[in-house]
Short mmCIF file of all heavy atoms in Angstrom, two decimals:
data_model
loop_
_atom_site.label_atom_id
_atom_site.label_comp_id
_atom_site.label_asym_id
_atom_site.label_seq_id
_atom_site.Cartn_x
_atom_site.Cartn_y
_atom_site.Cartn_z
N MET A 1 35.52 32.12 -169.15
CA MET A 1 36.95 31.90 -168.76
C MET A 1 36.94 30.97 -167.68
O MET A 1 37.95 30.10 -167.56
CB MET A 1 37.57 33.24 -168.36
CG MET A 1 37.96 34.15 -169.60
SD MET A 1 38.86 33.39 -170.90
CE MET A 1 40.41 33.00 -170.15
N GLU A 2 36.03 31.04 -166.72
CA GLU A 2 36.05 30.07 -165.62
C GLU A 2 35.71 28.68 -166.03
O GLU A 2 36.27 27.70 -165.58
CB GLU A 2 35.02 30.51 -164.64
CG GLU A 2 35.49 31.84 -163.91
CD GLU A 2 34.37 32.63 -163.22
OE1 GLU A 2 33.19 32.39 -163.40
OE2 GLU A 2 34.75 33.57 -162.43
N LEU A 3 34.80 28.55 -167.03
CA LEU A 3 34.48 27.19 -167.63
C LEU A 3 35.72 26.64 -168.37
O LEU A 3 35.98 25.50 -168.27
CB LEU A 3 33.24 27.39 -168.52
CG LEU A 3 32.81 26.03 -169.18
CD1 LEU A 3 32.30 25.10 -168.21
CD2 LEU A 3 31.73 26.35 -170.17
N LYS A 4 36.46 27.55 -169.01
CA LYS A 4 37.68 27.21 -169.77
C LYS A 4 38.57 26.56 -168.77
O LYS A 4 39.12 25.47 -169.04
CB LYS A 4 38.29 28.43 -170.47
CG LYS A 4 39.58 28.16 -171.16
CD LYS A 4 40.09 29.50 -171.71
CE LYS A 4 41.39 29.22 -172.50
NZ LYS A 4 42.61 28.87 -171.86
N LEU A 5 38.87 27.25 -167.65
CA LEU A 5 39.78 26.73 -166.65
C LEU A 5 39.26 25.41 -166.00
O LEU A 5 40.03 24.44 -165.90
CB LEU A 5 39.96 27.74 -165.47
CG LEU A 5 40.89 28.87 -165.65
CD1 LEU A 5 40.81 29.92 -164.60
CD2 LEU A 5 42.28 28.20 -165.71
N MET A 6 37.94 25.31 -165.83
CA MET A 6 37.31 24.02 -165.25
C MET A 6 37.64 22.88 -166.18
O MET A 6 38.09 21.83 -165.75
CB MET A 6 35.89 24.27 -165.02
CG MET A 6 35.18 23.04 -164.41
SD MET A 6 33.46 23.11 -164.30
CE MET A 6 33.10 24.43 -163.14
N MET A 7 37.40 23.11 -167.44
CA MET A 7 37.55 22.07 -168.46
C MET A 7 38.93 21.61 -168.59
O MET A 7 39.28 20.45 -168.73
CB MET A 7 36.88 22.48 -169.81
CG MET A 7 35.49 22.62 -169.78
SD MET A 7 34.48 21.31 -169.10
CE MET A 7 34.74 19.97 -170.43
N GLU A 8 39.91 22.55 -168.43
CA GLU A 8 41.34 22.30 -168.51
C GLU A 8 41.72 21.36 -167.33
O GLU A 8 42.40 20.47 -167.37
CB GLU A 8 42.25 23.57 -168.54
CG GLU A 8 42.12 24.24 -169.96
CD GLU A 8 42.71 25.62 -169.93
OE1 GLU A 8 43.18 26.10 -168.82
OE2 GLU A 8 42.69 26.23 -171.02
N LYS A 9 41.23 21.89 -166.19
CA LYS A 9 41.45 21.10 -164.82
C LYS A 9 40.92 19.67 -164.97
O LYS A 9 41.56 18.74 -164.37
CB LYS A 9 40.84 21.78 -163.71
CG LYS A 9 41.56 23.08 -163.45
CD LYS A 9 42.78 23.11 -162.65
CE LYS A 9 43.46 24.37 -162.37
NZ LYS A 9 44.40 24.72 -163.38
N LEU A 10 39.76 19.52 -165.72
CA LEU A 10 39.17 18.17 -165.82
C LEU A 10 39.95 17.42 -166.85
O LEU A 10 39.60 16.20 -167.04
CB LEU A 10 37.75 18.28 -166.15
CG LEU A 10 36.78 18.79 -164.94
CD1 LEU A 10 35.39 19.05 -165.59
CD2 LEU A 10 36.78 17.70 -163.93
N GLY A 11 40.85 18.03 -167.54
CA GLY A 11 41.63 17.24 -168.60
C GLY A 11 40.95 17.18 -169.94
O GLY A 11 41.09 16.28 -170.65
N ALA A 12 39.95 18.13 -170.13
CA ALA A 12 39.21 18.06 -171.35
C ALA A 12 39.10 19.52 -171.96
O ALA A 12 38.05 20.09 -172.02
CB ALA A 12 37.77 17.50 -171.19
N PRO A 13 40.34 20.15 -172.27
CA PRO A 13 40.26 21.50 -172.79
C PRO A 13 39.34 21.66 -173.97
O PRO A 13 39.28 20.75 -174.77
CB PRO A 13 41.71 21.81 -173.05
CG PRO A 13 42.39 20.45 -173.16
CD PRO A 13 41.65 19.52 -172.31
N GLN A 14 38.69 22.80 -174.02
CA GLN A 14 37.75 23.03 -175.18
C GLN A 14 38.20 24.30 -175.94
O GLN A 14 38.95 25.20 -175.43
CB GLN A 14 36.38 23.36 -174.61
CG GLN A 14 35.81 22.25 -173.73
CD GLN A 14 35.48 21.06 -174.59
OE1 GLN A 14 34.83 21.13 -175.64
NE2 GLN A 14 35.91 19.86 -174.08
N THR A 15 37.86 24.42 -177.26
CA THR A 15 38.11 25.64 -177.92
C THR A 15 37.17 26.69 -177.50
O THR A 15 36.24 26.47 -176.78
CB THR A 15 37.84 25.37 -179.44
OG1 THR A 15 36.48 25.06 -179.62
CG2 THR A 15 38.66 24.21 -180.07
N HIS A 16 37.48 27.95 -177.87
CA HIS A 16 36.67 29.03 -177.57
C HIS A 16 35.19 28.78 -177.95
O HIS A 16 34.27 28.98 -177.14
CB HIS A 16 37.15 30.34 -178.07
CG HIS A 16 36.49 31.64 -177.60
ND1 HIS A 16 36.65 32.12 -176.42
CD2 HIS A 16 35.62 32.43 -178.24
CE1 HIS A 16 35.99 33.16 -176.21
NE2 HIS A 16 35.34 33.39 -177.33
N LEU A 17 35.10 28.36 -179.16
CA LEU A 17 33.70 28.06 -179.77
C LEU A 17 33.11 27.00 -179.07
O LEU A 17 31.87 27.01 -178.79
CB LEU A 17 33.92 27.72 -181.23
CG LEU A 17 32.53 27.58 -182.06
CD1 LEU A 17 31.80 28.93 -182.11
CD2 LEU A 17 32.89 27.09 -183.46
N GLY A 18 33.90 25.95 -178.73
CA GLY A 18 33.35 24.77 -177.98
C GLY A 18 32.71 25.18 -176.61
O GLY A 18 31.69 24.80 -176.19
N LEU A 19 33.45 26.08 -175.88
CA LEU A 19 33.00 26.63 -174.60
C LEU A 19 31.79 27.50 -174.77
O LEU A 19 30.85 27.30 -173.98
CB LEU A 19 34.15 27.47 -173.97
CG LEU A 19 35.43 26.72 -173.62
CD1 LEU A 19 36.51 27.75 -173.42
CD2 LEU A 19 35.14 25.99 -172.20
N LYS A 20 31.72 28.27 -175.87
CA LYS A 20 30.53 29.05 -176.04
C LYS A 20 29.27 28.11 -176.30
O LYS A 20 28.19 28.47 -175.82
CB LYS A 20 30.70 30.02 -177.24
CG LYS A 20 31.50 31.20 -176.97
CD LYS A 20 31.69 32.09 -178.20
CE LYS A 20 31.19 33.51 -177.83
NZ LYS A 20 31.49 34.39 -179.01
N ASN A 21 29.53 27.09 -177.07
CA ASN A 21 28.45 26.12 -177.43
C ASN A 21 27.99 25.35 -176.11
O ASN A 21 26.78 25.06 -176.02
CB ASN A 21 28.80 25.14 -178.48
CG ASN A 21 28.96 25.84 -179.84
OD1 ASN A 21 28.24 26.79 -180.09
ND2 ASN A 21 29.70 25.24 -180.70
N MET A 22 28.96 25.06 -175.22
CA MET A 22 28.58 24.40 -174.03
C MET A 22 27.60 25.28 -173.17
O MET A 22 26.61 24.81 -172.67
CB MET A 22 29.88 24.14 -173.18
CG MET A 22 30.75 22.96 -173.63
SD MET A 22 32.26 22.81 -172.72
CE MET A 22 31.61 22.30 -171.08
N ILE A 23 27.97 26.56 -173.08
CA ILE A 23 27.19 27.43 -172.29
C ILE A 23 25.82 27.62 -172.96
O ILE A 23 24.79 27.56 -172.35
CB ILE A 23 27.85 28.84 -172.08
CG1 ILE A 23 29.05 28.68 -171.15
CG2 ILE A 23 26.90 29.85 -171.53
CD1 ILE A 23 29.93 29.79 -170.98
N LYS A 24 25.85 27.80 -174.29
CA LYS A 24 24.62 28.05 -175.07
C LYS A 24 23.59 26.92 -174.88
O LYS A 24 22.39 27.22 -174.82
CB LYS A 24 24.90 28.24 -176.57
CG LYS A 24 23.73 28.99 -177.28
CD LYS A 24 23.96 29.31 -178.75
CE LYS A 24 25.32 29.10 -179.36
NZ LYS A 24 25.28 29.57 -180.80
N GLU A 25 24.12 25.70 -174.79
CA GLU A 25 23.26 24.51 -174.66
C GLU A 25 22.43 24.44 -173.41
O GLU A 25 21.30 23.84 -173.41
CB GLU A 25 24.06 23.32 -174.75
CG GLU A 25 23.26 22.02 -175.18
CD GLU A 25 24.04 20.89 -175.53
OE1 GLU A 25 25.30 21.01 -175.98
OE2 GLU A 25 23.58 19.76 -175.49
N VAL A 26 22.83 25.10 -172.28
CA VAL A 26 22.09 25.09 -171.10
C VAL A 26 21.84 26.46 -170.58
O VAL A 26 21.24 26.65 -169.41
CB VAL A 26 22.80 24.27 -169.96
CG1 VAL A 26 22.71 22.83 -170.29
CG2 VAL A 26 24.31 24.67 -169.82
N ASP A 27 22.15 27.52 -171.28
CA ASP A 27 21.96 28.91 -170.86
C ASP A 27 20.47 29.37 -170.96
O ASP A 27 20.19 29.94 -172.00
CB ASP A 27 22.88 29.82 -171.58
CG ASP A 27 22.90 31.26 -171.12
OD1 ASP A 27 22.48 31.45 -170.01
OD2 ASP A 27 23.43 32.10 -171.82
N GLU A 28 19.67 29.09 -170.08
CA GLU A 28 18.31 29.30 -170.14
C GLU A 28 17.88 30.78 -170.19
O GLU A 28 17.07 31.26 -170.85
CB GLU A 28 17.48 28.67 -168.98
CG GLU A 28 17.55 27.15 -169.08
CD GLU A 28 16.80 26.48 -167.90
OE1 GLU A 28 16.96 26.94 -166.78
OE2 GLU A 28 16.10 25.52 -168.15
N ASP A 29 18.64 31.55 -169.40
CA ASP A 29 18.36 33.02 -169.30
C ASP A 29 19.21 33.81 -170.32
O ASP A 29 19.18 35.09 -170.29
CB ASP A 29 18.52 33.57 -167.93
CG ASP A 29 19.92 33.21 -167.39
OD1 ASP A 29 20.81 32.80 -168.10
OD2 ASP A 29 20.20 33.51 -166.17
N LEU A 30 19.94 33.08 -171.14
CA LEU A 30 20.79 33.82 -172.19
C LEU A 30 21.69 34.92 -171.68
O LEU A 30 21.92 35.89 -172.40
CB LEU A 30 19.86 34.37 -173.30
CG LEU A 30 18.82 33.35 -173.89
CD1 LEU A 30 17.92 33.96 -174.87
CD2 LEU A 30 19.57 32.24 -174.59
N ASP A 31 22.31 34.65 -170.52
CA ASP A 31 23.27 35.73 -170.02
C ASP A 31 24.69 35.34 -170.32
O ASP A 31 25.59 35.94 -169.75
CB ASP A 31 23.07 35.92 -168.52
CG ASP A 31 23.35 34.71 -167.73
OD1 ASP A 31 23.58 33.55 -168.27
OD2 ASP A 31 23.27 34.76 -166.44
N SER A 32 24.90 34.28 -171.07
CA SER A 32 26.18 33.71 -171.47
C SER A 32 27.10 33.34 -170.28
O SER A 32 28.35 33.28 -170.42
CB SER A 32 27.02 34.77 -172.28
OG SER A 32 26.21 35.10 -173.44
N LYS A 33 26.49 32.85 -169.24
CA LYS A 33 27.21 32.24 -168.12
C LYS A 33 26.30 31.15 -167.51
O LYS A 33 25.17 31.13 -167.68
CB LYS A 33 27.80 33.26 -167.13
CG LYS A 33 26.77 34.29 -166.66
CD LYS A 33 27.48 35.40 -165.95
CE LYS A 33 26.46 36.47 -165.46
NZ LYS A 33 27.04 37.58 -164.80
N LEU A 34 27.01 30.31 -166.66
CA LEU A 34 26.24 29.21 -166.04
C LEU A 34 25.89 29.55 -164.60
O LEU A 34 26.76 29.84 -163.81
CB LEU A 34 27.01 27.87 -166.04
CG LEU A 34 27.34 27.28 -167.47
CD1 LEU A 34 28.18 26.13 -167.25
CD2 LEU A 34 26.12 27.09 -168.19
N SER A 35 24.62 29.48 -164.24
CA SER A 35 24.14 29.57 -162.85
C SER A 35 24.20 28.25 -162.31
O SER A 35 24.36 27.20 -163.05
CB SER A 35 22.79 30.14 -162.77
OG SER A 35 21.90 29.18 -163.41
N PHE A 36 24.02 27.97 -161.00
CA PHE A 36 24.04 26.62 -160.48
C PHE A 36 22.96 25.87 -161.00
O PHE A 36 23.09 24.63 -161.43
CB PHE A 36 24.02 26.73 -158.95
CG PHE A 36 23.96 25.36 -158.32
CD1 PHE A 36 24.91 24.42 -158.45
CD2 PHE A 36 22.87 25.01 -157.53
CE1 PHE A 36 24.85 23.12 -157.92
CE2 PHE A 36 22.81 23.72 -157.00
CZ PHE A 36 23.81 22.85 -157.17
N ARG A 37 21.73 26.48 -161.29
CA ARG A 37 20.61 25.82 -161.82
C ARG A 37 20.96 25.36 -163.22
O ARG A 37 20.61 24.18 -163.59
CB ARG A 37 19.49 26.80 -161.88
CG ARG A 37 18.13 26.18 -162.14
CD ARG A 37 17.10 27.34 -162.17
NE ARG A 37 16.29 27.46 -163.40
CZ ARG A 37 15.58 26.40 -163.82
NH1 ARG A 37 15.55 25.23 -163.24
NH2 ARG A 37 14.90 26.54 -164.97
N GLU A 38 21.64 26.12 -164.08
CA GLU A 38 21.94 25.67 -165.44
C GLU A 38 23.02 24.60 -165.40
O GLU A 38 23.01 23.69 -166.19
CB GLU A 38 22.42 26.94 -166.14
CG GLU A 38 21.35 27.92 -166.46
CD GLU A 38 21.77 29.29 -166.90
OE1 GLU A 38 22.92 29.63 -166.63
OE2 GLU A 38 20.90 30.05 -167.47
N PHE A 39 23.94 24.75 -164.35
CA PHE A 39 25.05 23.71 -164.23
C PHE A 39 24.34 22.39 -163.90
O PHE A 39 24.68 21.35 -164.49
CB PHE A 39 25.82 24.10 -162.97
CG PHE A 39 26.95 23.21 -162.75
CD1 PHE A 39 28.09 23.20 -163.53
CD2 PHE A 39 26.95 22.35 -161.59
CE1 PHE A 39 29.15 22.36 -163.25
CE2 PHE A 39 27.98 21.55 -161.35
CZ PHE A 39 29.14 21.53 -162.17
#
């Protein structure tokens, strides 16, 4: 949800699936959220 808001604020809103895929691509510990390291 926080990533969703961030992307909206950046002017590049994403679909729910798009957001999940964004997290999945860098989610090294598979906790479904972004740490600063993953960011």
